[in-house]
């Protein structure tokens, strides 16, 4: 199945999954790779590209970062703002409704991250785009889906056009401009609807911009 990943797709996606309960898209905890990869960095400015339900953006703000959190879906952003208010997150969060395939933030950031974001453009070209928003000395963190023919998925199978490998991402990061810190593919388990275990096959890439 081919997905367009346009605004209508994501509004339906988030409207159907924003109950906030355990295993819902709006209720999941922050991605575990975030704390592992970012905890050692000095807080600064950050962009969460495709912030969804806001868990990662809220985590960053709670750890001293000034966060711009952008998503194409108004439903996702409404859920994220509600979650931020309920969690008592500090006022270091800016929610931005934009199409990341055409929008430009007009600034660079100490950290640019994305977790499972799929815009209406080729996946690797999206990563190229957001990498340009990292300031020299800053960090790029990409967490994506690894697609394999027997991928177990997590309630759905991530389509091939939304999936990448760590090698495909790092091949596009010029080693004169970027230092690769993490490049791996991992299997983890998420608690899904009804408490069911849902396996996820992840790609994690962290890189530091040299210049």
């Amino acid at each position: 199945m081919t997905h367009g990943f346009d605004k209508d797709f994501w509004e339906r996606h988030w409207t159907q999954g924003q109950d906030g309960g355990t295993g819902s898209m709006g209720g999941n905890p922050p991605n575990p790779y975030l704390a592992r990869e970012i905890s050692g960095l000095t807080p600064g400015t950050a962009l969460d590209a495709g912030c969804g339900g806001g868990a990662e953006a809220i985590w960053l703000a709670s750890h001293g970062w000034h966060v711009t959190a952008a998503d194409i879906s108004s439903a996702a952003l409404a859920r994220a703002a509600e979650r931020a208010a309920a969690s008592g997150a500090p006022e270091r969060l800016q929610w931005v409704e934009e199409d990341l395939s055409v929008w430009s933030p007009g600034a660079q950031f100490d950290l640019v991250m994305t977790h499972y974001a799929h815009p209406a453009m080729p996946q690797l070209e999206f990563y190229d785009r957001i990498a340009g928003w990292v300031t020299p000395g800053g960090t790029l963190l990409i967490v994506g889906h690894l697609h394999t023919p027997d991928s177990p998925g997590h309630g759905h199978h991530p389509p091939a056009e939304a999936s990448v490998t760590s090698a495909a991402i790092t091949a596009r990061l010029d080693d004169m401009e970027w230092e690769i810190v993490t490049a791996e593919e991992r299997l983890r388990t998420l608690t899904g609807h009804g408490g069911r275990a849902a396996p996820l096959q992840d790609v994690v890439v962290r890189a530091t911009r040299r210049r």
Side-chain angles (χ1 to χ4, degrees):
M1 179 179 181
T2 298
H3 296 283
F5 297 125
D6 58 7
K7 183 174 178 61
D8 288 344
F9 173 90
W10 287 115
E11 293 293 8
R12 291 193 304 271
H13 186 76
W14 279 98
T15 300
Q16 293 165 2
Q18 66 170 350
D19 61 15
T22 301
S24 75
M25 294 176 295
N28 286 333
N31 193 292
Y33 306 117
L34 177 60
R36 188 192 73 179
E37 298 293 336
I38 302 304
S39 291
L41 300 182
T42 300
T45 59
L47 173 69
D48 187 356
C51 66
E56 290 76 28
I58 293 167
W59 186 94
L60 282 180
S62 298
H63 286 77
W65 293 81
H66 293 266
V67 186
T68 299
D71 202 279
I72 196 172
S73 169
S74 60
L77 291 169
R79 176 61 195 156
E82 290 173 5
R83 184 170 183 172
S87 67
E91 294 182 0
R92 288 190 287 264
L93 278 163
Q94 178 186 7
W95 306 106
V96 178
E97 183 181 340
E98 292 289 353
D99 180 349
L100 291 165
S101 66
V102 296
W103 175 70
S104 175
Q108 290 183 311
F109 300 84
D110 300 310
L111 168 66
V112 174
M113 66 177 188
T114 186
H115 293 78
Y116 310 121
H118 308 311
M121 66 185 298
Q123 195 69 36
L124 288 171
E125 291 181 17
F126 169 62
Y127 295 151
D128 293 343
R129 194 165 204 277
I130 67 172
W133 302 340
V134 179
T135 193
T139 296
L140 174 68
L141 175 63
I142 294 170
V143 180
H145 291 299
L146 174 65
H147 175 84
T148 61
D150 58 349
S151 174
H154 51 99
H156 70 283
H157 294 280
E161 65 268 27
S163 307
V164 291
T165 64
S166 59
I169 297 172
T170 58
R172 299 173 81 96
L173 297 174
D174 186 334
D175 60 7
M176 295 295 290
E177 185 174 1
W178 294 92
E179 176 188 356
I180 306 301
V181 180
T182 302
E184 62 182 23
E185 296 165 0
R186 298 176 67 94
L187 177 66
R188 69 183 178 99
T189 301
L190 184 72
T191 300
H193 287 286
R196 295 189 302 271
L200 286 175
Q201 291 180 296
D202 292 328
V203 173
V204 183
V205 171
R206 174 162 68 104
T208 303
R209 189 167 190 172
R210 302 181 193 272
R211 55 178 173 82

